[in-house]
């Protein structure tokens, strides 16, 4: 039997690399190498790479744009498959994008065709695959709002899964549930609403400006580090209620902004090594130089401990860990 590297080289040629630095494939610019790395330029590439990993009992990880991933300093001992299948099809009010298509490209492309409903995604970094897995959202929109179906590779078979079976919730999908973590998104179909092109393009610009005003741009981060804190009754948040005034909008949604919590703790700007909580936005952790994954993880633990001890709130990471 040929070695794993030989098999990958034979199938993927120059699209295969060993010991590829992952720091250059993720927004954080942090992390060690992947022992095996394949750039999947087509959906068939994605399927074949997964099949080879399974044949060799090799762990694999699908990387999209790397905008929500923190890679360990030691790297990853398995196969990283970078989704770079980038075709998009428009049919009437339906748009089907392959997993490796950049989400912002779909937002712009649809708006340009006068299709409404995806403008929110114009400032979302990363790919459709990453967005569909995490039910990404901003500016009042979320993937689940327009999703019709997803083509998945599950247990070696290609299947069409209707949106209802994706188990969508806040930054949640079935792919985060036990037994489905290895499912691979191949493409996704969205249903948009025909409308006014000029209005759609104006909203695109407005959303881009909104992002510029609210978040640190051009820094190395993974976007929001923690999920906002959802609660069902005031009893659950007694400790924080006794210490600070909760804004009405958060009370109405039964959701405390993680950035707001970190701000109330007075932690904006805190630095550990070369990792820093953004001075402008408490939920953004930045690599301000040559931070290690260890620096980031230390800062994450510090924030979680303070939130738990002072406010009785257990924060959970939105970022996905690789190689830890
Ligand atoms: C500056 C900045 C701002 C951000 N703002 C927002 C925001 O407003 N709202 C928001 O929701 N997010 C935000 N994020 C987070 C991130 O952009 C989203 O989560 C994005 O959808 C991730 O896509 P990606 O392709 O980069 O995912 P990656 O980081 O590459 O991967 C994330 C996870 O998805 C999995 N994955 C990726 N592709 C596939 C696939 N084809 N099949 C199966 N699994 C797959 C990976 O294995 C990993 O577990 C922000 C990030 C940054 C850096």
């Amino acid at each position: 039997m040929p070695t794993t590297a030989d098999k990958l080289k034979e199938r993927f040629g120059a699209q295969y690399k060993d010991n590829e630095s992952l720091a250059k494939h993720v927004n954080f610019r942090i992390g060690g190498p992947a022992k095996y790395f394949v750039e999947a330029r087509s959906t068939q590439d994605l399927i074949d790479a997964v099949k080879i990993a399974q044949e060799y009992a090799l762990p694999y990880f699908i990387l999209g744009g790397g905008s929500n991933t923190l890679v360990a300093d030691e790297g990853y001992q398995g196969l990283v498959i970078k989704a770079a299948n980038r075709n998009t099809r428009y049919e009437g009010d339906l748009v089907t994008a392959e997993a490796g298509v950049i989400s912002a490209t779909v937002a712009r492309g649809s708006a340009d065709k006068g299709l409404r409903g995806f403008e929110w995604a114009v400032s979302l970094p990363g790919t459709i695959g990453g967005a569909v897995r995490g039910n990404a959202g901003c500016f009042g929109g979320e993937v689940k709002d327009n999703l019709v179906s997803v083509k998945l590779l599950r247990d070696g078979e290609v299947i069409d899964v209707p949106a209802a079976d994706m188990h969508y919730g806040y930054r949640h999908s079935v792919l985060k549930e036990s037994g489905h973590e290895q499912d691979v998104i191949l493409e996704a179909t969205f249903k948009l609403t025909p409308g006014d092109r000029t209005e759609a393009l104006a909203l695109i610009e407005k959303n881009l400006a909104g992002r510029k005003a609210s978040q640190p741009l051009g820094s190395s981060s993974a976007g929001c580090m923690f999920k906002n804190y959802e609660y069902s009754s005031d009893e659950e948040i007694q400790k924080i209620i006794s210490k600070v005034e909760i804004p009405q909008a958060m009370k109405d949604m039964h959701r405390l902004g993680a950035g707001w919590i970190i701000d109330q703790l007075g932690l904006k700007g805190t630095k550990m090594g070369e990792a820093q909580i953004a001075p402008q936005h408490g939920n953004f952790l930045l690599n301000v130089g040559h931070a290690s994954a260890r620096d980031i993880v230390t800062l994450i633990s510090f924030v979680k401990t303070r939130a738990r001890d002072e406010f009785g709130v257990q924060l959970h990471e939105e970022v996905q860990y690789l190689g830890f």
Side-chain angles (χ1 to χ4, degrees), residues 36-173:
Y36 307 102
F37 180 93
V38 162
E39 184 176 280
R41 294 191 191 144
S42 67
T43 298
Q44 193 59 50
D45 282 356
L46 261 181
I47 296 171
D48 289 353
V50 171
K51 285 199 171 145
I52 292 174
Q54 285 169 338
E55 195 183 326
Y56 283 80
L58 191 66
Y60 64 88
F61 182 89
I62 311 295
L63 188 66
S67 64
N68 201 26
T69 300
L70 178 62
V71 182
D73 296 318
E74 295 73 22
Y76 180 62
Q77 284 302 306
L79 170 63
V80 168
I81 305 166
K82 186 173 166 107
N85 49 340
R86 301 226 163 100
N87 289 311
T88 310
R89 306 188 296 278
Y90 288 90
E91 287 169 64
D93 56 0
L94 295 178
V95 48
T96 299
E98 290 181 344
V101 176
I102 303 301
S103 299
T105 307
V106 179
R108 277 191 185 283
S110 319
D112 196 43
K113 288 184 166 29
L115 292 171
R116 309 294 312 269
F118 212 72
E119 298 95 333
W120 62 269
V122 69
S123 66
L124 184 76
T127 61
I128 287 294
V132 167
R133 178 178 180 276
N135 188 26
C138 52
F139 298 112
E142 272 183 321
V143 161
K144 74 173 175 55
D145 299 342
N146 296 91
L147 190 83
V148 177
S149 63
V150 182
K151 202 179 275 294
L152 286 183
L153 179 67
R154 175 178 284 170
D155 302 329
E157 270 185 62
V158 176
I159 55 168
D160 279 307
V161 176
D165 293 344
M166 288 295 287
H167 298 182
Y168 274 131
Y170 167 58
R171 301 289 175 269
H172 180 83
S173 79

Side-chain angles (χ1 to χ4, degrees), residues 214-278:
S214 65
Q215 289 179 3
L217 292 174
S219 329
S220 302
S221 77
C224 289
M225 180 52 71
F226 301 102
K227 290 183 189 169
N228 293 328
Y229 183 80
E230 297 192 300
Y231 63 96
S232 40
S233 72
D234 282 0
E235 271 161 32
E236 264 178 63
I237 53 162
Q238 263 320 310
K239 200 163 179 182
I240 190 163
I241 286 180
S242 68
K243 294 188 176 177
V244 288
E245 180 68 30
I246 304 205
Q248 190 59 43
M250 292 188 195
K251 283 188 196 162
D252 292 345
M253 292 180 71
H254 281 238
R255 189 183 280 179
L256 307 179
W260 175 82
I261 293 172
I262 293 163
D263 194 12
Q264 298 310 304
L265 288 166
L267 296 180
K268 284 204 289 199
T270 305
K271 237 176 139 183
M272 287 194 176
E274 297 199 46
Q276 185 183 31
I277 300 174

